[in-house]
């Protein structure tokens, strides 16, 4: 695990231009103690970037398709889950996709949702959210 952490740190240092500071914990690694046959070690490297929104979109489309047809829903409601929990999950994944899209549209030098920006008069403008 120490080797993978050091390797990840080296990759991030060498390629710092491709990593942004506004996505914390943007790299995760894992080492598997049971490697595939013929290998000494196995590992996984996942980087969090705005490209992840495509994965979430695909998952959301598949989930929505199954949920609308109530596929396997009876298995979960039979174990005590409420159908509203699935509605909340669908809404949560849509919010995550929207957040990734907002980050993608921000430039590196831009701020997100007006953070750190002030009006010329020194007063911050308050935004209303629904």
């Amino acid at each position: 695990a120490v080797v993978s952490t050091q390797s990840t740190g080296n990759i991030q240092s060498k390629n710092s231009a491709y990593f942004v500071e506004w996505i914390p914990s943007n790299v995760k690694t894992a080492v598997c103690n049971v490697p595939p046959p013929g290998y000494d070690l196995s590992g996984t490297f996942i980087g969090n970037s705005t490209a992840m929104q495509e994965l979430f979109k695909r998952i959301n489309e598949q989930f929505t398709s199954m949920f609308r047809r109530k596929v396997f829903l009876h298995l979960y409601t039979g174990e005590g889950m409420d159908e509203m929990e699935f509605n909340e999950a669908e809404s949560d994944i849509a919010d995550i996709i929207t957040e990734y899209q907002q980050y993608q549209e921000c430039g590196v030098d831009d701020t997100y949702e007006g953070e750190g920006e002030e009006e010329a008069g020194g007063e911050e403008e308050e935004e209303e959210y629904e």
Side-chain angles (χ1 to χ4, degrees):
V2 174
V3 173
S4 70
T5 304
Q6 291 171 345
S7 297
T8 301
N10 291 339
I11 290 169
Q12 284 184 290
S13 295
K14 290 178 184 175
N15 300 295
S16 62
Y18 299 105
F19 293 91
V20 294
E21 69 263 0
W22 41 261
I23 300 180
S25 304
N26 57 356
V27 175
K28 296 289 182 195
T29 57
V31 176
C32 180
N33 293 333
V34 184
Y39 292 93
D40 296 332
L41 193 59
S42 177
T44 303
F45 179 91
I46 298 175
N48 185 3
S49 72
T50 55
M52 294 294 289
Q53 70 179 295
E54 296 304 320
L55 171 70
F56 289 122
K57 284 179 184 178
R58 191 173 69 237
I59 290 170
N60 192 39
E61 288 170 7
Q62 293 170 350
F63 173 81
T64 300
S65 173
M66 292 177 70
F67 181 56
R68 294 291 173 245
R69 293 181 287 145
K70 300 191 184 283
V71 176
F72 302 115
L73 187 62
H74 66 283
L75 297 175
Y76 295 96
T77 55
E79 291 293 323
M81 287 185 71
D82 186 21
E83 193 170 327
M84 277 304 296
E85 293 178 73
F86 291 95
N87 288 322
E88 290 173 18
E90 189 174 25
S91 175
D92 290 345
I93 197 82
D95 290 344
I96 290 171
I97 292 167
T98 301
E99 188 171 352
Y100 272 100
Q101 287 171 339
Q102 288 173 338
Y103 278 125
Q104 182 175 355
E105 292 167 3
C106 281
V108 174
D109 295 330
D110 294 340
T111 56
Y112 180 66
E113 291 184 4
E115 291 174 2
E117 293 181 355
E118 292 187 5
E119 296 293 318
E123 296 179 23
E124 290 188 24
E125 185 176 326
E126 189 171 321
E127 294 181 19
E128 286 188 28
Y129 296 99
E130 294 179 341

